Amino acid sequence: MTSVKIIAVLVENRPGVLFKVANMIRRRSFNIESITVGTVDHKDISRMTITLHADDAIVEQLVKQLSKLIDVIEANVFTPEEVIARELAIIQLSPDVKVTTDTKVTQELRIVESSSESLTVELLGGPDVIDEFLQKIGESNVLSVARTGITALPKRRN
Amino acid sequence: MVEMTGSKALMEALRREKVKVIFGMPGGANLPIYDDLYDSGIKHVSVKHEQVGAHMADGYARVSRGPGVCMATSGPGATNLVTGIATAYMDSSPVIAITGQVPKAMIGRDAFQETDVVGVMASITKHTIQPLSAAEVPSAIKSAFYIANSGRPGPVLVDIPKDVQVENAEMIFPEKLEIRGYTPFLPIDRVKVAQAAEILAKAERPVIWGGGGIRISDASEPFTAIAELLNAPVVTSLQGKGIFPENHPLCLGPMGMHGRAEANKLIGEADVILAAGVRFSDRTTGTADEFGKSAKIIHIDADPSEINKNKRVHLHLLGDAKEILGQIYKTLANSVKRKGPGSWIERINEVREEMKQISAYDTSRSDLTGPNIVRLMREILPLDSILTTGVGRHQMWCEVHYQVLKPRTWITSTGLGTMGFGLPAAVGAKFAKPDVPVIDFDGDGSFMMTETALAVAVEERVPIIAIILNDKSLGMVEQWQRIFYKRRYSGVKTTAGPDFVKLAEAYGADGRRVDSLEQFAKTLREGLGSDMPMLIDVPVDPEYDVFPFMAPGKSLKDTVHGPKEMGIF
């Protein structure tokens, strides 16, 4: 069954590792919806958060193949429900757009710049929150969008 | 700590890994390495073409258990290695490829003979390392050898920029390495061992299936012990030939596209399949859904990514096959008595009798057919002889008719199916085991792909014997065109072709041509007693096809036993 999967990968922080991870995903013909990379508390380890649409069985195989890469320390797959996921979006809107209580889909929405040319907002939240905002504000009012792609940690459960 | 250049550190690291021979080619970007190789005490074999060198290192590795080392310069030297490295990767062979690279400052600027070989090799190696300072060279080599030859083995590339080769640094040669992203073997799950033993003990019609993983982990002893304890028939993959003596009463031989008819039939009747060191390749299992449909499958492998890859299994055990099979055997031996021949063995004998009649096993002809040559060759060759092959019908006739009696005496490219593997692999094998006869059983098409290896054999005085089944065609492709493309022979025929006898002589080898089985036997015996390489050209009929045959996309039960059933005669 194809659905959104979030792959969390801890890797050695060195040149060429992103290529090896991406190359393995390419080999299985997946399109990466988003990928974020940053170091963790150890500067020599990076965390990659990869979002893609995939079939359960194939993604299980993919994660095993990622784990096999020597530079990959750990790889796991999660459903969106199993992680705490956040994404940052910077969105430029037409200058005459008003962000009202109806369109303010989250408290974490801030106007970062306002000019005669555009109104720029920053929006932090789960990917669905950003999607909801874009939908409510209407396509014709959006000048440009930059989304970071999600970064995520699995929820810890007892 | 001692100060030395990156290149000198490379030699020291290779000596510490006990490297005895390197199969390589010098060039612009590895000149410093070759200068230090000159008085390193390590034997260098000049391979004439880097693909040949990679196959030699591969043949050496498969016979010796240790990594085989090949070397090349940057650019074309490195890209010539690609087919050899991909071959080693598909068959899990520990090959170390050491390439020179243009100086760091030139990388990425399309310098002369620059290829991004780390990028090119990424998906056909177990790992790639590019040391960017001389001080990294010792640990790069240490980890390359460790990674290549542990867990599921595979090729590792070490790409060393020329300035790193000449740079001086204080060197530390690590005795041991911890690589946090790499755990070759996890501890064996004892609960699963008990479960596997229980399933096997209760099995009524068990089949034990072994592949290349059994050879790699030297697990033939516990593998055989389990089969004998359970009185269970054994099948192998093509790569697994020889892990269990093929003249053993329980051996059904290899199954697959050109497997033994009895193996292909009986695997479908099993209620339990113990699959050890195998990867459920389509060429071995046929359609995955049909394979082992009514059986419980237990899968043992070193590589977690092989589990449930091609076929969902009921139980899997991860780790070293030798250790796991040993534990299963112990558990079984405590709970079950050695089983006598029951109805399952009766059924097996019945199928064996039935299959004796098929035309693929017909022994009434006395001319130079593939099966006749292969069977006669087996009679003549000493038990411990090593046989390498190219890829094609000659290889498949060996699959069906050549009984491999000892592990590591059957060296063939199965995963990638690389034509041209046989001759260089034979030379590499001979370096690993100079005291046993090494024979490359080849086809004319395969042979011509890497025939320069003959120059190496002559130069290095390694008396290998190359037998060429010469049908002046790409016989296997021709067979498929005959069967599936209405005999429209497209691109397969060699209309001129070299005179192989003269070719051998030109290289300085002993070239022979035979036109009867008697002459073949006599010539092969002469070759075994000779101290120079020999080539035996054996003209064969291109229309004589290889059977049994399971067509691609079919299942093992659809195996066709001869040309008549295939409808081509």
Side-chain angles (χ1 to χ4, degrees):
Chain A
M1 214 190 49
T2 302
S3 57
V4 175
K5 299 288 186 318
I6 292 149
I7 302 176
V9 195
L10 289 175
V11 300
E12 299 288 347
N13 179 17
R14 50 170 176 250
V17 178
L18 176 59
F19 162 72
K20 286 178 182 175
V21 169
N23 196 35
M24 182 64 79
I25 295 170
R26 173 203 59 80
R27 195 180 162 202
R28 302 307 301 256
S29 306
F30 289 122
N31 181 43
I32 296 174
E33 301 286 330
S34 78
I35 180 165
T36 59
V37 188
T39 54
V40 298
D41 47 341
H42 297 279
K43 283 276 174 275
D44 56 349
I45 297 179
S46 293
R47 172 181 291 280
M48 296 183 181
T49 305
I50 302 160
T51 311
L52 39 76
H53 276 88
D55 174 270
D56 288 356
I58 297 174
V59 85
E60 177 194 322
Q61 171 67 18
L62 171 67
V63 166
K64 284 182 192 168
Q65 286 179 315
L66 287 174
S67 305
K68 228 168 103 172
L69 295 173
I70 309 293
D71 290 325
V72 168
I73 299 162
E74 202 185 322
N76 289 292
V77 62
F78 300 99
T79 62
E81 295 73 36
E82 291 169 321
V83 295
I84 296 162
R86 288 291 180 274
E87 181 176 12
L88 178 73
I90 299 172
I91 302 166
Q92 283 175 337
L93 304 166
S94 305
D96 50 339
V97 172
K98 297 274 178 297
V99 178
T100 63
T101 40
D102 182 43
T103 50
K104 188 165 183 184
V105 292
T106 168
Q107 289 305 312
E108 289 162 286
L109 186 152
R110 233 164 40 87
I111 294 168
V112 285
E113 197 200 54
S114 178
S115 73
S116 57
E117 297 299 311
S118 69
L119 174 73
T120 307
V121 299
E122 137 195 311
L123 184 54
L124 182 70
D128 44 342
V129 173
I130 297 169
D131 289 342
E132 189 188 347
F133 175 76
L134 287 170
Q135 195 216 331
K136 283 196 168 163
I137 214 84
E139 204 181 318
S140 59
N141 290 321
V142 177
L143 301 178
S144 41
V145 182
R147 297 173 71 154
T148 58
I150 68 158
T151 189
L153 281 177
K155 290 173 186 166
R156 286 182 194 265
R157 294 219 170 76
N158 293 332
Chain B
M1 283 211 294
V2 281
E3 197 183 299
M4 62 176 92
T5 63
S7 164
K8 286 215 158 51
L10 171 65
M11 292 308 135
E12 178 57 23
L14 292 174
R15 276 191 296 263
R16 283 169 184 250
E17 296 298 334
K18 304 198 166 42
V19 172
K20 293 192 182 64
V21 55
I22 291 171
F23 303 95
M25 283 290 277
N30 63 3
L31 275 167
I33 294 173
Y34 269 76
D35 189 51
D36 285 320
L37 198 52
Y38 183 76
D39 48 9
S40 65
I42 300 172
K43 164 82 182 160
H44 177 263
V45 176
S46 176
V47 296
K48 319 302 172 201
H49 187 288
E50 291 83 354
Q51 182 189 348
V52 162
H55 290 324
M56 284 179 182
D58 190 347
Y60 180 90
R62 294 189 203 203
V63 169
S64 70
R65 299 176 169 79
V69 182
C70 57
M71 258 186 196
T73 189
S74 63
T79 54
N80 277 349
L81 286 175
V82 167
T83 302
I85 296 303
T87 305
Y89 184 65
M90 286 291 271
D91 287 346
S92 310
S93 183
V95 170
I96 310 272
I98 299 168
T99 48
Q101 181 57 281
V102 300
K104 283 201 302 284
M106 303 294 282
I107 292 178
R109 297 168 64 184
D110 296 332
F112 175 66
Q113 293 195 329
E114 184 199 352
T115 296
D116 171 22
V117 64
V118 170
V120 169
M121 296 275 197
S123 49
I124 52 168
T125 49
K126 190 170 172 186
H127 193 46
T128 58
I129 307 170
Q130 189 182 56
L132 294 174
S133 70
E136 292 171 44
V137 170
S139 64
I141 295 300
K142 186 85 202 167
S143 39
F145 277 73
Y146 170 52
I147 290 165
N149 211 17
S150 55
R152 178 182 186 172
V156 175
L157 169 79
V158 185
D159 187 41
I160 312 177
K162 196 172 180 182
D163 55 329
V164 173
Q165 298 169 27
V166 296
E167 186 192 345
N168 261 301
E170 294 284 335
M171 297 293 176
I172 302 168
F173 292 89
E175 290 292 322
K176 267 188 134 183
L177 271 183
E178 286 281 321
I179 303 171
R180 59 187 160 190
Y182 183 58
T183 320
F185 286 126
L186 296 165
I188 290 161
D189 187 335
R190 294 193 163 266
V191 176
K192 286 185 171 178
V193 167
Q195 286 171 337
E198 198 186 330
I199 294 169
L200 285 166
K202 284 184 183 157
E204 287 176 6
R205 298 179 308 283
V207 172
I208 318 286
W209 169 27
I214 301 297
R215 161 175 60 81
I216 290 165
S217 85
D218 289 317
S220 286
E221 204 183 301
F223 182 87
T224 306
I226 291 173
E228 288 178 344
L229 179 71
L230 298 174
N231 220 323
V234 168
V235 300
T236 66
S237 59
L238 180 53
Q239 193 56 244
K241 261 176 93 76
I243 56 160
F244 187 79
E246 292 197 278
N247 58 357
H248 191 289
L250 287 172
C251 190
L252 298 175
M255 62 175 175
M257 183 168 275
H258 294 289
R260 295 282 300 185
E262 50 273 48
N264 283 9
K265 185 171 176 82
L266 286 162
I267 191 80
E269 298 181 17
D271 65 344
V272 171
I273 298 171
L274 176 64
V278 299
R279 57 185 186 84
F280 295 80
S281 136
D282 53 288
R283 283 294 190 271
T284 306
T285 63
T287 48
D289 290 347
E290 285 294 318
F291 178 77
K293 225 176 175 180
S294 54
K296 270 193 177 153
I297 302 175
I298 305 167
H299 188 192
I300 299 171
D301 208 90
D303 179 356
S305 75
E306 285 301 337
I307 306 300
N308 296 330
K309 182 180 80 177
N310 292 336
K311 177 83 186 169
R312 286 261 150 199
V313 296
H314 297 79
L315 180 68
H316 68 264
L317 295 92
L318 283 172
D320 177 47
K322 186 178 184 176
E323 228 177 295
I324 295 172
L325 289 170
Q327 288 190 18
I328 292 176
Y329 174 73
K330 260 191 208 158
T331 314
L332 274 173
N334 285 337
S335 61
V336 299
K337 268 204 222 136
R338 200 184 170 98
K339 291 195 178 173
S343 57
W344 181 220
I345 292 291
E346 269 171 43
R347 171 67 187 146
I348 282 154
N349 292 335
E350 182 183 285
V351 172
R352 275 187 162 147
E353 276 306 308
E354 179 195 326
M355 293 303 171
K356 275 183 185 161
Q357 313 307 319
I358 69 172
S359 59
Y361 295 170
D362 180 21
T363 53
S364 64
R365 287 177 68 157
S366 57
D367 54 344
L368 282 171
T369 64
N372 281 346
I373 296 160
V374 168
R375 281 191 294 255
L376 182 57
M377 176 173 69
R378 176 68 282 183
E379 283 173 32
I380 294 168
L381 292 182
L383 191 79
D384 54 359
S385 304
I386 293 168
L387 193 76
T388 70
T389 77
V391 167
R393 288 195 298 196
H394 66 277
Q395 180 194 28
M396 298 299 109
W397 279 315
C398 289
E399 170 165 20
V400 183
H401 301 285
Y402 184 84
Q403 288 196 332
V404 185
L405 305 174
K406 282 182 148 187
R408 295 182 189 272
T409 61
W410 164 248
I411 308 294
T412 191
S413 161
T414 59
L416 198 67
T418 307
M419 289 173 68
F421 177 76
L423 183 64
V427 175
K430 190 73 183 173
F431 270 97
K433 275 207 164 175
D435 300 332
V436 304
V438 179
I439 285 82
D440 163 37
F441 193 75
D442 225 325
D444 53 318
S446 279
F447 183 85
M448 281 193 279
M449 288 201 172
T450 52
E451 65 179 41
T452 44
L454 202 54
V456 184
V458 172
E459 203 163 87
E460 296 292 337
R461 298 180 175 280
V462 284
I464 49 102
I465 302 171
I467 300 168
I468 301 177
L469 293 200
N470 185 359
D471 55 12
K472 287 186 167 275
S473 175
L474 302 174
M476 180 59 91
V477 184
E478 177 180 323
Q479 175 169 342
W480 283 42
Q481 290 182 346
R482 185 150 41 247
I483 295 171
F484 303 118
Y485 297 91
K486 301 177 179 161
R487 295 178 183 260
R488 287 156 57 90
Y489 300 128
S490 183
V492 292
K493 295 291 185 185
T494 300
T495 48
D499 177 331
F500 284 107
V501 173
K502 285 186 183 159
L503 181 81
E505 285 166 356
Y507 277 121
D510 189 358
R512 307 291 187 94
R513 184 170 294 117
V514 300
D515 53 23
S516 70
L517 285 173
E518 295 71 35
Q519 223 186 335
F520 171 74
K522 185 171 167 281
T523 311
L524 179 56
R525 287 202 177 92
E526 264 180 63
L528 289 170
S530 168
D531 59 359
M532 70 188 288
M534 180 186 272
L535 181 155
I536 309 175
D537 182 27
V538 193
V540 292
D541 173 11
E543 298 260 334
Y544 189 94
D545 288 328
V546 55
F547 286 96
F549 180 35
M550 166 187 71
K554 298 277 188 175
S555 67
L556 291 167
K557 65 176 169 30
D558 305 318
T559 301
V560 178
H561 294 151
K564 274 208 188 78
E565 296 92 316
M566 198 92 230
I568 52 169
F569 279 97

